[in-house]
Amino acid sequence: MLNNWFSPISHQFLQQFQNLPGHKMVKNIELYENELPSLANCDICLIGVGKNTDTIRRYFYQLNQNFNNLSIADLGNLNPGGLDMIIPVLQEMSQSNILPIIICDSIDILRLQRLIAAEQSKVALVHRGDQLNPALTQNCSIAYIGHQSQLLQDNIATYQKENPHLNYRLGKIKANIHKIEPVIRDAKLACFDISAINAQFAPSQNNPWPTGLDSLEACQIARYIGITDSIESFSVTGYDASNDQMHLGAKTIAQILWFFIEGVDNRKYDFSGQTQIQQYTVNVHDFEFPIEFIKSEKSDRWWFKIPGKESGQDVFPCSYEDYELACNNDLSDRIVKAMSTI
């Protein structure tokens, strides 16, 4: 069925990679050139949507393939006809437990990612925080990452005041990027819009600004998203090849894709199989229930349990700093918000 939805990668385009050594991505992934690759044992599929994807492929293909545990395919580009054409593709990927990576000009692809995901699935959205259609983020939990306060539109600012534990603006990331990992960890889908990146590293934007993430920070965030066990789809949006001097933006996105895949390759699945955890119970002064913290020996990551909660989510990601605060009779915004659901 998928043959009806995709255009193959042209032979002429692929010729430029013929002399690359055998450890490069293009030599180790299944490509839709003549026949659609078999997806029977596929873990990750790359999907292009729009006219700019081959520029990104050019640099992604040249990166090293270090992921021996993963089977990766590139299905080429979605045929013209509107974004909604990707719906049956994403449905088939979901049913087959294949993780799609979507390169799309427009952030509207997030609407379709949400359509396929379970209702109320949490979204990790890396975005500058302006020029964003409010309809894309309605009626779901959103972790906003990398937004800039001086540009933030009103509806996002209001949401973040109500959910400070999901608010990771640019300045907080610059101060300590590792703190964003627990926020991403229970997301079901993710979208990385390159508006969040400094124009120095990604000039390929419709409205570039001189502030934003640098390329190293962008790659670290992509890796955090990839290592999240629950992520079911990932998109990178906002690329405009016509603005891309020396193809810096394409190179940055290629590396974002690579570090996302590296994250997937290093997933720990902390609560699957034989669980290796340590549990700590903390009594917080003037709080009715003790709080149980869980540390995974597989990944050194932390969670906490909500006492007395009988339905819905009862285990939440947190950090070692959250545990330390509780030991000192203080509760982080993350725990306070979770406790409000009891």
Side-chain angles (χ1 to χ4, degrees):
M1 184 198 79
L2 291 178
N3 301 65
N4 300 325
W5 306 107
F6 290 99
S7 299
I9 305 164
S10 73
H11 177 71
Q12 182 180 3
F13 174 76
L14 291 174
Q15 280 185 317
Q16 64 188 297
F17 309 109
Q18 284 183 340
N19 296 325
L20 287 181
H23 63 277
K24 296 300 182 180
M25 291 295 298
V26 69
K27 303 290 186 177
N28 293 278
I29 60 178
E30 297 291 327
L31 303 173
Y32 182 19
E33 182 181 3
N34 300 312
E35 295 183 1
L36 197 72
S38 171
L39 303 183
N41 298 306
C42 187
D43 299 302
I44 295 175
C45 275
L46 189 67
I47 299 171
V49 182
K51 60 184 179 180
N52 295 311
T53 52
D54 280 352
T55 309
I56 297 166
R57 280 191 177 95
R58 178 176 300 149
Y59 298 103
F60 176 69
Y61 284 176
Q62 296 179 53
L63 301 177
N64 295 338
Q65 212 290 22
N66 297 345
F67 317 117
N68 295 326
N69 298 320
L70 296 174
S71 173
I72 304 171
D74 187 342
L75 298 185
N77 295 328
L78 190 72
N79 289 326
L83 275 181
D84 285 7
M85 286 184 61
I86 204 173
I87 292 175
V89 176
L90 295 181
Q91 287 174 331
E92 184 161 335
M93 298 286 166
S94 177
Q95 293 165 3
S96 303
N97 292 319
I98 298 172
L99 175 57
I101 299 177
I102 310 157
I103 307 170
C104 187
D105 302 345
S106 171
I107 197 173
D108 286 345
I109 192 66
L110 178 58
R111 172 178 61 86
L112 303 179
Q113 289 178 263
R114 288 189 56 198
L115 184 65
I116 302 304
E119 189 176 357
Q120 300 298 319
S121 292
K122 183 178 176 180
V123 178
L125 177 58
V126 187
H127 195 278
R128 189 171 59 209
D130 66 327
Q131 299 180 326
L132 182 63
N133 182 356
L136 290 176
T137 57
Q138 286 179 344
N139 303 320
C140 70
S141 174
I142 301 272
Y144 286 101
I145 300 163
H147 66 274
Q148 301 181 40
S149 300
Q150 74 276 19
L151 299 171
L152 201 61
Q153 59 194 53
D154 289 345
N155 66 301
I156 300 177
T158 300
Y159 176 86
Q160 292 182 347
K161 286 179 181 177
E162 297 170 353
N163 300 277
H165 61 300
L166 298 176
N167 170 12
Y168 275 83
R169 58 183 175 81
L170 178 63
K172 291 172 70 174
I173 292 173
K174 294 285 185 183
N176 190 342
I177 193 171
H178 303 294
K179 288 187 175 183
I180 70 169
E181 187 278 327
V183 176
I184 297 171
R185 200 187 310 156
D186 59 346
K188 292 290 186 182
L189 53 101
C191 175
F192 197 128
D193 190 82
I194 65 166
S195 66
I197 303 176
N198 186 313
Q200 177 184 353
F201 303 97
S204 48
Q205 307 174 35
N206 291 324
N207 184 27
W209 282 80
T211 48
L213 303 167
D214 64 34
S215 56
L216 290 176
E217 291 161 341
C219 290
Q220 179 67 71
I221 292 170
R223 190 179 188 280
Y224 282 146
I225 295 171
I227 209 169
T228 297
D229 301 343
S230 56
I231 288 291
E232 298 174 353
S233 70
F234 177 60
S235 63
V236 180
T237 63
Y239 178 70
D240 182 357
S242 65
N243 292 333
D244 198 7
Q245 300 174 4
M246 299 183 291
H247 289 172
L248 287 177
K251 293 173 181 176
T252 296
I253 293 173
Q255 293 191 95
I256 287 172
L257 301 179
W258 192 95
F259 277 95
F260 171 78
I261 295 171
E262 187 191 50
V264 175
D265 196 41
N266 284 278
R267 288 182 174 181
K268 303 301 182 184
Y269 300 102
D270 296 274
F271 295 105
S272 66
Q274 186 175 358
T275 305
Q276 301 172 343
I277 61 172
Q278 298 175 350
Q279 294 180 294
Y280 304 86
T281 301
V282 179
N283 291 290
V284 180
H285 185 64
D286 290 335
F287 192 72
E288 183 178 358
F289 303 101
I291 302 174
E292 184 177 328
F293 287 88
I294 302 168
K295 179 186 177 183
S296 167
E297 294 181 357
K298 290 183 180 180
S299 65
D300 286 335
R301 294 187 295 189
W302 289 75
W303 287 259
F304 68 94
K305 281 188 175 182
I306 297 182
K309 189 173 176 63
E310 298 178 353
S311 62
Q313 183 179 0
D314 64 346
V315 179
F316 292 79
C318 67
S319 65
Y320 176 65
E321 287 78 8
D322 293 317
Y323 168 70
E324 283 189 310
L325 280 172
C327 289
N328 289 294
N329 287 313
D330 196 3
L331 295 179
S332 65
D333 289 337
R334 190 188 340 266
I335 295 180
V336 169
K337 182 68 176 181
M339 292 301 178
S340 69
T341 65
I342 298 177

